[in-house]
Amino acid sequence: MSCYQFLAGCYDGLTYDVDYAAWADYLEKHFRRHGLPGNTVLDLACGTGSLTRELALRGYEMIGVDRSPEMLAQAAEKVRDLEGTPPLFLCQLMEKLDLYGTIDACVCCLDSINYITRLNTLQKAFDRVHLFLMPGGLFLFDINSPEKLEGLDGQVFLDETEDAYCVWRAEFSRRSRVCSYYMDLFQLDRSSGLWERGEELHQERAHTVSELTALLEGAGFQDIRTYGNLKLRPPRPGEERIFFAARKGK
């Protein structure tokens, strides 16, 4: 089972309830609060490019990076109608990020950081982001909290649209602190009228605030702060999503 090969074609339909405009509003609040050296923004783990598109519409020069060529194909199609300079999409692993120049901000949203399950790999990813940020540049990301991931253990979920049907179950290992999502997907091929079946395994690690803070400091980031879910306040006990903001020194 490989991650996103089958899911890419139905990802947007199954995540219709994600309000990307609200996410972009929140990111822009941080941009205004902290100030950016310029307007070039990297959307790391951009997926199908919905947030990339939203920020591009707001005037940012966008770069989208993702490990899945299938997801990037969806992203490229999504921005075809944009005027001006289109977003640049690159197929890369986070820990092997290699850009053609510097960026003024990096955003990594929708718990993509949880998908890096090894701390040494995550350290390399933070190192690469820091390398390509302009002095004074901002790094924003969010995680699913450990409490949320632990609470998913044993849960079974069903998501469906007219063209797709997804059943997935979650298993959390307290030893590895990894939550595994086992997905069974069915997608309608409209040309043949037949349903195709696929299986995928997705895994997220329950990173703690102290672990991530240490990794950010190890990469050279400064002014590291945490926030509650889409809020400009510190996270509260039991918060399911935690945001991080960190700066590269000037």
Side-chain angles (χ1 to χ4, degrees):
M1 292 182 287
S2 60
C3 204
Y4 290 113
Q5 283 191 358
F6 196 81
L7 184 60
C10 53
Y11 180 85
D12 286 339
L14 294 173
T15 58
Y16 67 92
D17 57 339
V18 178
D19 189 345
Y20 289 101
W23 280 74
D25 288 343
Y26 181 69
L27 296 173
E28 285 198 298
K29 288 178 182 179
H30 281 285
F31 293 168
R32 290 191 293 269
R33 169 180 277 199
H34 297 281
L36 298 183
N39 72 333
T40 302
V41 178
L42 168 65
D43 186 3
L44 189 61
C46 65
T48 61
S50 296
L51 183 60
T52 313
R53 174 185 169 83
E54 184 65 37
L55 289 172
L57 287 170
R58 300 179 186 215
Y60 297 96
E61 295 182 6
M62 297 300 301
I63 302 169
V65 168
D66 200 274
R67 66 178 298 175
S68 167
E70 293 83 7
M71 298 286 269
L72 289 174
Q74 299 287 327
E77 187 65 29
K78 190 173 291 181
V79 300
R80 279 179 179 264
D81 64 334
L82 293 185
E83 297 180 358
T85 303
L88 171 66
F89 290 109
L90 302 172
C91 187
Q92 297 178 353
L93 297 171
M94 288 191 205
E95 66 271 22
K96 295 185 178 180
L97 179 69
D98 190 11
L99 304 179
Y100 301 108
T102 54
I103 53 175
D104 302 297
C106 174
V107 300
C108 187
C109 295
L110 295 164
D111 48 271
S112 296
I113 291 297
N114 291 104
Y115 276 78
I116 300 184
T117 58
R118 295 181 179 273
L119 292 182
N120 61 340
T121 303
L122 190 53
Q123 182 68 76
K124 292 176 183 177
F126 286 175
D127 291 343
R128 299 303 289 177
V129 171
H130 187 271
L131 175 65
F132 288 104
L133 274 174
M134 285 284 289
L138 190 64
F139 183 24
L140 296 169
F141 65 86
D142 68 274
I143 60 165
N144 276 331
S145 69
E147 292 83 0
K148 178 181 179 179
L149 292 179
E150 289 178 22
L152 290 175
D153 186 38
Q155 302 269 353
V156 178
F157 301 88
L158 169 64
D159 296 305
E160 62 180 323
T161 67
E162 289 185 357
D163 299 333
Y165 185 89
C166 177
V167 180
W168 55 284
R169 72 183 191 278
E171 295 181 5
F172 183 80
S173 168
R174 285 173 174 76
R175 181 177 180 181
S176 65
R177 292 168 53 200
V178 169
C179 188
S180 298
Y181 309 120
Y182 298 92
M183 295 185 173
D184 284 303
L185 298 122
F186 301 85
Q187 189 170 8
L188 177 63
D189 183 346
R190 288 192 172 273
S191 61
S192 66
L194 300 176
W195 287 82
E196 297 179 274
R197 181 176 183 271
E199 295 179 335
E200 293 191 1
L201 170 63
H202 296 249
Q203 293 183 309
E204 294 193 22
R205 185 178 188 275
H207 300 305
T208 66
V209 170
S210 59
E211 284 175 337
L212 294 175
T213 300
L215 294 179
L216 288 167
E217 291 174 342
F221 284 101
Q222 304 174 4
D223 192 21
I224 302 165
R225 303 184 186 185
T226 56
Y227 300 87
N229 185 20
L230 292 177
K231 304 293 183 182
L232 292 176
R233 56 156 173 77
R236 294 171 179 167
E239 198 94 55
E240 291 194 343
R241 190 176 297 275
I242 300 172
F243 279 79
F244 282 74
R247 259 191 186 286
K248 182 173 180 175
K250 294 185 178 181

